[in-house]
Amino acid sequence: NDNFHPLNSHVPAALMRRFHLAKINNLSEVKVWGTGKPKREFMYVDDLAQSCIFLLQNNVDYELINSGTGKEITIKEFSELIKKVVGYKGKITFDNTKPDGTLNKRLDTSIINKLGWKPKTDLKIGLKKTYKWAIEKKVFDNI
């Protein structure tokens, strides 16, 4: 149930939408904001939910715990991965007149990892599941 709106969605949904629309409209390129160099950490939503359940079931008593993969990927690599998942055959261009944002956004997941929790869903598999869901629910048709 992610937000795929063109103006206010997060990076995964925004890029997935752009690549999907480029594919069905036979566009020759997809523009991605920035240089592609910033790194981001992405986690499949079911893994986030499982981390919350894990913390509740184990009565973990910390003021702050990060749930994440602990792995970063550049926006360029992420765009190429979404391109493959969607099946888009065109070119990716980066618009360096647009902002990159923060260069790194990886969480410190050492506490939850020491407690015995790690995410189970590979990034590519999570993107494939999300794209399949979006196609089945026709979310691209309503935007």
Side-chain angles (χ1 to χ4, degrees):
N1 292 324
D2 203 345
N3 171 16
F4 288 81
H5 192 276
L7 299 177
N8 59 19
S9 57
H10 292 105
V11 171
L15 288 176
M16 195 170 284
R17 177 187 179 280
R18 256 188 241 167
F19 281 102
H20 174 77
L21 293 177
K23 178 177 96 170
I24 64 171
N25 291 309
N26 295 313
L27 301 180
S28 61
E29 74 174 353
V30 169
K31 285 188 181 181
V32 177
W33 277 26
T35 64
K37 293 177 185 174
K39 295 178 180 179
R40 296 292 181 265
E41 176 179 4
F42 300 103
M43 182 169 65
Y44 187 60
V45 66
D46 288 358
D47 286 338
L48 176 59
Q50 287 302 315
S51 74
C52 294
I53 292 167
F54 171 85
L55 294 170
L56 289 169
Q57 288 176 336
N58 290 283
N59 296 316
V60 175
D61 188 24
Y62 284 87
E63 194 169 310
L64 177 67
I65 296 181
N66 292 321
S67 293
T69 63
K71 298 175 186 173
E72 290 178 306
I73 184 172
T74 66
I75 294 297
K76 180 179 188 232
E77 293 167 326
F78 190 67
S79 299
E80 291 167 354
L81 184 57
I82 289 182
K83 175 183 172 180
K84 287 178 191 171
V85 166
V86 169
Y88 173 67
K89 303 294 184 203
K91 177 178 149 184
I92 302 172
T93 57
F94 292 89
D95 183 355
N96 61 9
T97 66
K98 303 291 186 200
D100 268 338
T102 305
L103 290 179
N104 297 78
K105 286 192 177 182
R106 186 182 65 190
L107 296 172
D108 176 359
T109 59
S110 59
I111 294 173
I112 197 165
N113 294 156
K114 284 178 189 172
L115 292 169
W117 184 87
K118 291 192 189 236
K120 293 180 173 55
T121 309
D122 173 76
L123 180 58
K124 187 174 184 180
I125 291 169
L127 290 171
K128 284 181 177 182
K129 287 179 178 183
T130 302
Y131 187 61
K132 181 179 182 224
W133 171 86
I135 295 296
E136 288 172 357
K137 297 297 181 186
K138 301 181 183 202
V139 298
F140 302 116
D141 299 347
N142 301 323
I143 300 172

